[in-house]
Amino acid sequence: MPSPSPSWHLSELVGIDRRKLLFAWSNFLAAAATLIIAFEASLPRPWWALLTVYVTAQPMSGAFRPKMLYRFGGIAVGAAMTILLVPNLQNSPILLVFCLAVWTGFCIYLAVLDRTPRAFLFQMAAFSAAVMSFPYLDDPQDIFTTTISRVEEMSVAILCVTLMHMLMQPWSVRPIIRERAKAFLVHMSGWTAEALGSRHNALEYEHRRRLATDVVELGMIAVHLPFDQRFALATRETVIDLQHEMAAVLPIASAAANRLDRLRALSAVDTELEALVDKVARWLKIPSFSEGTAALALVASCRAVSSERLRIGDWPALLAASLCDRMAALIEVVANARRLVARFDDEDAVVERREEAARRAPRFALARDHGLAALAGAATATAICLYCAVWILLAWPNGSATAAFAALITCSFAAQDDPAPVIGRYLLATLITFPLAALYLFVLLPRVDGAGVLIEVLAPALLWMGYIQADPARSAHALPMFSCFIVAMGFLDRFQADFALFLNTGLAQVGGIVATLTVTRLFRSANVRWTARRIIRANWRDLEALADPRQPLAAETWTAHAVDRLGQIAARMAEASPGDTLHAADGLDDLRIGRNLIQIRQSATRSARIRKAVAPLFEEVGALFRARLRAGHPVPAPDPLLTAIDDTMAAATARPSATTPRLLLALVGMRCNLFPSALPYQGAAG
């Protein structure tokens, strides 16, 4: 039988990703439709509509749909604010600039505080008001007509790009979510297996930072899902449940590793325990998505050994009981996560979950920091005031355009701790694109006759930049390239090749970027480590409240906030030096302590005797975190707290009850986390 001839595809020969190419073509066709509509409708700024196409487009179809709606809302709010402020304050330009700066800063405050795709509404409201207002402050007579024109141009662009993506990229976001969830789960399984190994201390920091980032990213994905197709709501519930399971993995796996380390330090890992740890590690290393009886058998074995060691009651036995309990919980959590990921492949299960959606757990709550959000908003408002002061004092004719570009860039990167490196790359990409814009404007476009030929001539450049936009590694370079290319050529209904205008427009763009970079370095670049310390202090305040039995107990919300902060701290600790005290307060110990406090409070609610026994413990824990807040660094736990833990353990074992095992395991965890170098527990203190 003759062998089949090989089939070659051009995309494989030249290394082109077909999905990225399709995305680039979708954007280009949307841009072509936008230009044709803008020319036919005689919109005054077709270039603004063209730029909006590429600002609006997103590589994942399930992501740009909610952003489209939020952008529509932001444009409407920004336009309303422009019409409200500019006509009423046109005779007081300084007051008008101040009000616009305050409005922009307030919108950025809301955007940074929100930390969901809804933030796009606030961002668009901020810089749409800026770009509608600043270029026309010198002549605000027709501001109503101008604002309506900007809204029409942006709305046409958003509608065109949405329609084109729906036609050319009709696939559901569910397969993308499924692959991402499987990748998260494989990483989670690998890290949890390594947590039970001997090298986990060297690997733990990087792994837990990545896992915490994965947990938060799952939440961002879940927010997009209601805008996808018929399985969206049920899929979102599956993603949220998976997020909760993955969040629980962090403290459970690290606690198991902690207990194992202490047992090894005491040479108390016997043959039975070693064999059980090996079985659990082997099970974790196999990322199976169809769980059978193996997980149930392992959980039963771990629970049996835990109960047996609790009855012995000495310190090594309590450590072993805590280890087995944590391993059993870890297996249950990982098995649940694997089953949830398997549901993405089962549409019947998805439909079933759609019917259960109303009874599911609430969305994973993100931690919000009003101080950080206020800092970002204040920095944005200050930067805009400075730009406008320079523009007014120098009486620069193109200063209004500089202020508009500066406001747009500032709003785009305001959520980052240190936007300066990103803005620097933005400047570099802009400078690289200027020669291409000049080639088109002065060499190619003079030979173009008609909208059809114009679109054909623009195709190579726009497709190339669109392909870059679809590549996550290079997408940050696409927006400045589009901005420089489109704005510098100034698409109008009639061709104009004015070198002076081209140069002034280019200087306005570069001036806006340079001004933004300068202000950013002055006001924002020193805040990364300060931000990390602020997040740690927020954790300590929550732990102080958690140790107060009078405060309401919201276990899931506290865990969600702690995991979210853990990811934020880990991302910022890369800026700290190896000897920085910041590494001693990275959030994972706080997460474990909080989980233990929750377990103790839940046990105490069932018994008045237990509530009385744990009262001194709660007082000492609250005093510890108040001391850390006052000192600003992780003050070591005092001896009276160790005494309170040991006395509570002795009281719990003296009169056992149904809650005693759960309480003892939580107390063992508290002792290990707060007093890693303490002598083994010997019974009641004194």
Side-chain angles (χ1 to χ4, degrees), residues 221-287:
I221 290 172
V223 174
H224 295 313
L225 284 168
F227 297 87
D228 200 54
Q229 289 133 10
R230 60 190 179 115
F231 297 132
L233 183 59
T235 305
R236 183 187 63 174
E237 300 304 323
T238 302
V239 171
I240 291 174
D241 284 352
L242 177 61
Q243 190 184 25
H244 281 278
E245 298 293 350
M246 289 180 64
V249 163
L250 276 165
I252 294 173
S254 60
N258 176 277
R259 308 300 181 271
L260 190 56
D261 284 347
R262 303 199 182 291
L263 284 167
R264 286 171 175 159
L266 295 173
S267 301
V269 181
D270 55 34
T271 305
E272 180 187 29
L273 207 56
E274 190 71 52
L276 187 58
V277 170
D278 288 342
K279 286 182 182 178
V280 173
R282 284 197 301 271
W283 180 84
L284 290 169
K285 288 178 181 177
I286 305 173

Side-chain angles (χ1 to χ4, degrees), residues 409-426:
I409 297 166
T410 304
C411 294
S412 299
F413 304 116
Q416 300 185 16
D417 288 328
D418 184 7
V422 180
I423 297 174
R425 291 191 291 271
Y426 194 107

Side-chain angles (χ1 to χ4, degrees), residues 319-540:
L319 285 174
S322 179
L323 168 64
C324 293
D325 178 75
R326 296 296 82 195
M327 288 196 300
L330 181 62
I331 294 166
E332 290 174 338
V333 167
V334 174
N336 287 338
R338 291 175 178 178
R339 282 193 289 269
L340 288 169
V341 172
R343 288 183 183 235
F344 287 116
D345 296 316
D346 186 354
E347 292 195 355
D348 292 335
V350 171
V351 173
E352 179 184 344
R353 287 184 67 76
R354 181 173 56 186
E355 297 170 355
E356 301 173 359
R359 303 192 299 271
R360 303 310 305 161
R363 184 170 62 87
F364 194 88
L366 296 177
R368 292 180 174 180
D369 192 321
H370 290 269
L372 290 178
L375 175 66
T380 302
T382 303
I384 291 175
C385 288
L386 290 176
Y387 308 147
C388 294
V390 172
W391 158 39
I392 294 171
L393 290 174
L394 295 180
W396 183 23
N398 287 87
S400 59
T402 300
F405 279 116
L408 189 148
I409 297 166
T410 304
C411 294
S412 299
F413 304 116
Q416 300 185 16
D417 288 328
D418 184 7
V422 180
I423 297 174
R425 291 191 291 271
Y426 194 107
L427 175 61
L428 179 61
T430 299
L431 294 174
I432 290 174
T433 314
F434 266 119
L436 178 64
L439 172 67
Y440 265 83
L441 184 60
F442 299 109
V443 178
L444 299 179
L445 294 189
R447 296 169 170 80
V448 170
D449 183 16
V453 179
L454 172 64
I455 291 170
E456 292 178 7
V457 172
L458 292 175
L462 294 181
L463 286 172
W464 169 60
M465 288 184 274
Y467 189 86
I468 291 175
Q469 187 180 24
D471 185 358
R474 299 184 293 166
S475 60
H477 301 283
L479 181 58
M481 295 171 71
F482 282 122
S483 177
C484 173
F485 182 74
I486 294 171
V487 176
M489 287 191 292
F491 291 103
L492 298 174
D493 54 352
R494 295 180 182 275
F495 174 71
Q496 296 179 5
D498 186 335
F499 182 77
L501 180 62
F502 172 79
L503 188 61
N504 279 332
T505 303
L507 288 175
Q509 290 190 66
V510 173
I513 300 171
V514 171
T516 305
L517 184 59
T518 302
V519 173
T520 298
R521 290 198 179 278
L522 288 175
F523 287 91
R524 299 291 305 279
S525 294
N527 289 326
V528 176
R529 293 177 64 251
W530 176 85
T531 302
R533 294 184 182 280
R534 183 179 178 84
I535 296 170
I536 291 170
R537 290 173 63 85
N539 253 352
W540 291 343

Side-chain angles (χ1 to χ4, degrees), residues 208-229:
R208 70 170 178 258
R209 180 177 71 173
R210 182 175 170 186
L211 188 57
T213 303
D214 290 348
V215 171
V216 177
E217 186 177 348
L218 273 174
M220 296 297 102
I221 290 172
V223 174
H224 295 313
L225 284 168
F227 297 87
D228 200 54
Q229 289 133 10

